[in-house]
Amino acid sequence: MGACTETPPEAHPADEASLVAAARSGQQSAFVTLVEIHHGGVRTLASGLLGDDRLAEQAVQETFLRAWRELPTLQSGRSGFAAWLYGLTRRVATDLRRSNRDIAVSTVGHSPRPRAEAALALLEQDEREAFLLVSALGLSYERAGRILGRSKGAVAFQVHSARLQLVSILADPQEEASR
Amino acid sequence: MTSSVHHHAQRLLSASLDGEADPDGLALAQAHIRRCPVCQQTARDFERVGNMTAVTLPAERPAWLDELPERLPERQRPVVPPDAGQGGEEGGSGPVRWRPSPPRQRTHTSVPVGLATAEAVSGTATVRPHRHARLRPVAAVRRRVPFLAAL
């Protein structure tokens, strides 16, 4: 597990708004700073959605290139840059999974991925998306719902359902035996 | 005790882990869980799963970021159509002369680079990002089931 070795740049919301505005007007350096700030979250989401490191890395790069192209269409103040970016990541991941279906299938269960990651891959797509956005990336039900096009209640239900399934998938055999 | 009571308490417990439970509901759930071994076990399971699936956001600067500015396609400047009668000279300060857009070229290649960051999310994670953290090292943040330690 790679530990955080250096402090990444942080952006105050107001700073981020000005970075987004500068990037929208075509300033590449502002966009690169935004990528530095958000690539970790995008990578985490892509990795969880695709379950394949190579595809996840491809998704991250594709997401940011698409973000650069589509940034002028982002309506300021509507949902925030991060939420918009996560929505984009989800669409890119869906496209990649569709075009790499064979690769994705062949890697599940063969690579020595940790149990938790493998367990996430066993969840239904809807539940995995909701769980990753809320539990891994810390979004509220409402923001996750906006990204996923679902109601707040639906997200709450899916996160809870995912959690219950993960409990049974990741059950500790020793603890189970002692119950 | 009916299963719907457990179910309701567990949903509230889940919501509290996500920072979404209202205080009144949480107090009711807490009162139930204090005397219910089934829900106490679920609380421990939720906490265990939360710790197992927690991730540390990769903080390393990906290698491809250095090449990113070169790979970003040029943004088109605002243009005016030819019948606007304001034909500015090339390179001048006036509006850009309209011309048909060239076909968009796909500049992205699917070279797997920066795989070092993959290690950051593929190991067994023990820490998780704070709800409002923006790529901040999250070593100290670990979500705990509230009130579980007191049981």
Side-chain angles (χ1 to χ4, degrees):
Chain A
M1 184 80 190
C4 298
T5 51
E6 57 186 71
T7 306
E10 284 186 43
H12 187 272
D15 298 339
E16 181 164 295
S18 58
L19 281 172
V20 171
R24 281 178 72 177
S25 67
Q27 200 178 307
Q28 290 187 344
S29 59
F31 184 73
V32 170
T33 306
L34 286 169
V35 175
E36 284 178 354
I37 294 166
H38 290 288
H39 88 272
V42 169
R43 182 68 170 80
T44 300
L45 182 59
S47 189
L49 290 175
L50 290 161
D52 179 273
D53 287 340
R54 188 188 64 81
L55 280 182
E57 192 55 42
Q58 197 176 329
V60 173
Q61 296 183 34
E62 177 64 31
T63 296
F64 284 117
L65 286 174
R66 225 189 258 191
W68 170 254
R69 286 197 298 265
E70 296 181 15
L71 200 51
T73 66
L74 171 66
Q75 291 171 11
S76 55
R78 190 167 165 264
S79 60
F81 181 71
W84 177 74
L85 207 51
Y86 293 152
L88 208 55
T89 308
R90 180 176 165 249
R91 292 206 299 276
V92 169
T94 305
D95 291 347
L96 273 176
R97 200 175 36 240
R98 214 171 276 154
S99 58
N100 292 275
R101 199 169 287 161
D102 297 338
I103 295 172
V105 168
S106 68
T107 43
V108 169
H110 293 286
S111 60
R113 288 185 296 139
R115 280 179 74 206
E117 211 176 321
L120 276 173
L122 294 174
L123 298 176
E124 288 291 325
Q125 180 66 20
D126 288 355
E127 291 167 347
R128 185 163 64 236
E129 287 173 345
F131 186 80
L132 282 168
L133 286 172
V134 172
S135 187
L137 294 173
L139 266 61
S140 66
Y141 291 158
E142 194 173 352
R143 278 188 96 187
R146 238 181 283 152
I147 292 170
L148 299 170
R150 298 171 206 159
S151 69
K152 188 178 161 182
V155 171
F157 177 81
Q158 285 165 342
V159 173
H160 179 58
S161 172
R163 199 168 264 136
L164 286 174
Q165 288 178 68
L166 287 170
V167 165
S168 66
I169 296 168
L170 294 169
D172 185 352
Q174 290 179 341
E175 198 179 322
E176 283 287 299
S178 67
R179 279 185 202 179
Chain B
M1 202 164 301
T2 62
S3 64
S4 66
V5 175
H6 299 307
H7 181 70
H8 186 62
Q10 289 167 10
R11 283 197 71 170
L12 282 166
L13 187 59
S14 201
S16 78
L17 283 172
D18 299 328
E20 299 269 353
D22 67 285
D24 292 344
L26 193 60
L28 282 173
Q30 194 171 347
H32 166 76
I33 292 168
R34 277 218 178 92
R35 50 193 159 74
C36 174
V38 174
C39 290
Q40 282 175 23
Q41 185 57 50
T42 305
R44 287 189 196 96
D45 288 340
F46 280 178
E47 188 176 87
R48 184 172 51 83
V49 163
N51 290 333
M52 285 181 84
T53 55
V55 292
T56 303
L57 298 185
E60 305 89 31
R61 197 175 192 275
W64 51 262
L65 207 51
D66 296 330
E67 300 162 14
L68 185 64
E70 295 155 28
R71 292 171 57 190
L72 293 176
E74 194 69 30
R75 279 265 181 75
Q76 290 178 357
R77 287 185 290 169
V79 296
V80 289
D83 54 354
Q86 296 272 344
E89 287 300 313
E90 189 79 26
S93 58
V96 182
R97 185 175 295 188
W98 181 86
R99 63 183 57 158
S101 305
R104 180 174 285 168
Q105 290 186 339
R106 191 179 173 87
T107 56
H108 171 53
T109 55
S110 58
V111 181
V113 292
L115 284 177
T117 57
E119 295 173 13
V121 290
S122 61
T124 48
T126 55
V127 293
R128 58 183 309 113
H130 185 269
R131 174 176 292 274
H132 301 296
R134 293 188 187 282
L135 262 188
R136 163 188 323 168
V138 288
V141 186
R142 203 173 191 196
R143 212 171 275 190
R144 303 281 301 178
V145 175
F147 59 78
L148 184 62
L151 293 174

